Amino acid sequence: MKIVGRRLVGWQAVYDIGLAGDHNFLLANGAIAANCFNKSHSTAYGYVTYQTAFLKANFPVEYMAALLTANSGDQDKVQRYIATCLSMGIEVLPPDVNRSDIDFTPVGDKILFGLSAVRNVGQGVIEAILQARAEGGAFQSLADFCERVPRAGGDSRILNRRALESLIACGAMDSLHPQRNRNQLMQDLPLVLEWAQARAKDRAVGQVNLFDMLAGGSSNEPSYDPAPSAPPVDDLPDAEKLRQEKDLLGFYVSNHPLKDIHRPAAMIAPISLADLEQHTGQGMVSVIALLTGLKPITTKRGERMAIVQLEDLTGQAEAVVFPKAYERIHGQLQLDHRLLLWGTLEMRDDRPQLLIEDAEPLEEVKLVLVDLPVEQAGDIQAQSRLSEVLKQQVGEMPKVPVVVKVTDGYHAQYVRLGPQFRVEDADRARQALTSAGFHAQASELLSLKF
C-alpha cells in the first residue's frame, strides 16, 4: 500500500500502515493462507485494515491519540507508539489542566497526555477539573484552580496536596503561569492551598472578604488578586524535571535524553530496543540506550557482574554484563548515562536479552565521515580502493562506524557502511583515507547534524 497525497492506493505492505505497525492486522495473502484464514475472515481483516489505514493516512493525530488511548494499559506499546508519533512528526506533550481530557487528547497537530495518566490524580479529581472547566472556562491561575475545582466537585477535600504536587511536577500546570517555573509553583502551593481553603470556609458561612466587596463581586464571584506567593526561586535542573515526569507519567514526555540525537543515533546503531527480538542470533550488535537500572551481583566464585535496565525512545530491555566485561567497563555503567553498547542477543523467558561486551559514553563516541561526490561514489575503482583502505584499519577491536556522505552539489545522502567496515581507531583511519586521496574526518557523534 502506498500513500498518494492524502489518499491510499494499493494493497501492499498494509501492516506498515495499519495500526502503527501492529502485526495483528497483516493482510498479505501469504500470511492469511499460512494461518488458514477462510475468505470471510480474511475479508473482515482486510476491511478493518483498510479503515485503519485510511484513518492513519488522513487523520494521523486523531488516529494516534485513539491508538495510544486504546493501549494506555500497556506501557511498552505506549512507548513504542510515542516513538511512532515522533517519526511521523507528531509531538506528544505532557498533560494540561486547561486542554487535556481524561485520555490522550488531539490538539491541532499535537497530542496531549490525558489527565488519567498522572499518578496520584484520581477519577474524582479529573471529573471535577473537567466540570469546573466546562462551567467557568479555562483556569487563570493556580489560585483559580484551587478554588474552582473543589467547588465543582462538591467537596472541599476532593483536591489534596499530593494530587496538586503531581499535576505541577508533570507539567500539567505550566500553562497557568508561563512566567513562573515549576519549582516556584511548588513553593507557592502551600500558601495558595491554605488561602483557597480559607475562602471555601468563608463561603460556607456566607462571608464576603473586603477585596471581593471592593471588586464589586460576591461570595460566588471571587477575586484572585489576594492570592499569596512565595519568594522567587530558581527552576529545577532539566534532568530533575524529566525524572519527575517519568515518575508520574511513566515516560519522558516534554523531552527525552535520546530525543535530540535520534537521527545520528539511528545512523550508527539502527537497532532499537523494541526490535531486538528480530536480531537474535545475528552475532555482535550495537544499540544506543539510556541506562536506567543497575544491579551489581557477586557470583559464587566471588566475581562481579551486573544486570542492567536499558531504555530508548521505543521501549525498555534487560541486559547482562558478565564478569570479564564488567571488569573492563564497570566504570562506564552509570545510571542515567547515554551509552553506545555492543553485545550479542539471546532469548530468555520469551524476551530478548542483550549480553553486553563493551560500552562507551555517547559523549566519547566517534565515527569516520567520508565525503564522496556522487561521481566518485559510483566509480567501481574508487569503491574498491575505499574498501581496501578500510579493511586495513579493522584491527582487533573494530568499533568505530564509517559513514559515507554522498553529495551532488545540492543534496547530501548519508550511508552507513556495514559492520565489516568498522575500524579500530578513528584518527588513524582518517589519516589512511586522506593519504589515499579521500576527504575524511573523525567526528564526534554528538557534533553531527543529519
Side-chain angles (χ1 to χ4, degrees), residues 143-159:
D144 184 19
F145 184 88
C146 290
E147 186 161 27
R148 286 169 52 193
V149 171
R151 248 193 302 167
D155 185 351
S156 61
R157 297 169 297 179
I158 196 170
L159 187 63

Side-chain angles (χ1 to χ4, degrees), residues 22-161:
D22 192 328
H23 289 199
N24 290 329
F25 283 81
L26 275 170
L27 189 64
N29 291 333
I32 293 175
N35 288 278
C36 300
F37 289 170
N38 56 37
K39 290 184 178 179
S40 62
H41 195 85
S42 60
T43 300
Y45 265 86
Y47 184 60
V48 172
T49 303
Y50 185 84
Q51 287 179 316
T52 55
F54 176 85
L55 292 173
K56 185 178 180 183
N58 292 275
F59 305 96
V61 178
E62 293 80 1
Y63 174 81
M64 293 305 299
L67 187 62
L68 285 163
T69 297
N71 293 277
S72 57
D74 188 327
Q75 186 167 341
D76 290 341
K77 281 192 173 183
V78 169
Q79 186 155 8
R80 187 161 72 247
Y81 293 150
I82 289 175
T84 300
C85 289
L86 178 63
S87 68
M88 294 170 64
I90 301 172
E91 192 173 3
V92 180
L93 301 176
D96 185 334
V97 293
N98 272 335
R99 297 188 296 169
S100 289
D101 291 327
I102 296 176
D103 298 313
F104 286 91
T105 310
V107 178
D109 59 352
K110 299 177 174 61
I111 296 175
L112 293 174
F113 259 75
L115 295 173
S116 61
V118 186
R119 189 173 299 170
N120 304 323
V121 179
Q123 186 70 21
V125 177
I126 296 173
E127 291 175 355
I129 292 172
L130 299 179
Q131 181 67 24
R133 212 166 68 194
E135 293 175 352
F139 301 106
Q140 302 301 313
S141 65
L142 177 60
D144 184 19
F145 184 88
C146 290
E147 186 161 27
R148 286 169 52 193
V149 171
R151 248 193 302 167
D155 185 351
S156 61
R157 297 169 297 179
I158 196 170
L159 187 63
N160 57 49
R161 179 168 175 171

Side-chain angles (χ1 to χ4, degrees), residues 354-411:
L354 180 66
L355 309 182
I356 297 175
E357 297 289 343
D358 207 348
E360 187 174 8
L362 279 192
E363 291 74 15
E364 301 176 13
V365 172
K366 284 188 174 182
L367 56 82
V368 176
L369 186 63
V370 184
D371 286 305
L372 286 182
V374 67
E375 298 82 10
Q376 191 176 14
D379 186 335
I380 298 297
Q381 292 183 347
Q383 293 176 15
S384 178
R385 193 157 43 93
L386 176 62
S387 174
E388 287 301 320
V389 174
L390 293 176
K391 286 180 179 178
Q392 293 172 9
Q393 300 299 316
V394 170
E396 296 182 1
M397 288 288 291
K399 300 189 303 182
V400 180
V402 178
V403 175
V404 175
K405 179 182 178 183
V406 182
T407 57
D408 64 358
Y410 300 97
H411 305 93

Side-chain angles (χ1 to χ4, degrees), residues 221-260:
E221 297 175 347
S223 167
Y224 304 107
D225 292 337
S229 61
V233 295
D234 292 332
D235 199 2
L236 297 171
D238 289 341
E240 175 62 17
K241 291 196 291 186
L242 286 176
R243 186 194 65 78
Q244 291 181 355
E245 281 185 17
K246 191 172 190 300
D247 287 345
L248 293 167
L249 299 174
F251 310 93
Y252 293 106
V253 182
S254 62
N255 204 345
H256 190 287
L258 298 176
K259 184 176 181 180
D260 294 338

Side-chain angles (χ1 to χ4, degrees), residues 171-183:
M173 291 192 168
D174 288 356
S175 64
L176 298 184
H177 296 278
Q179 304 305 318
R180 296 189 191 180
N181 58 63
R182 294 181 192 177
N183 193 27

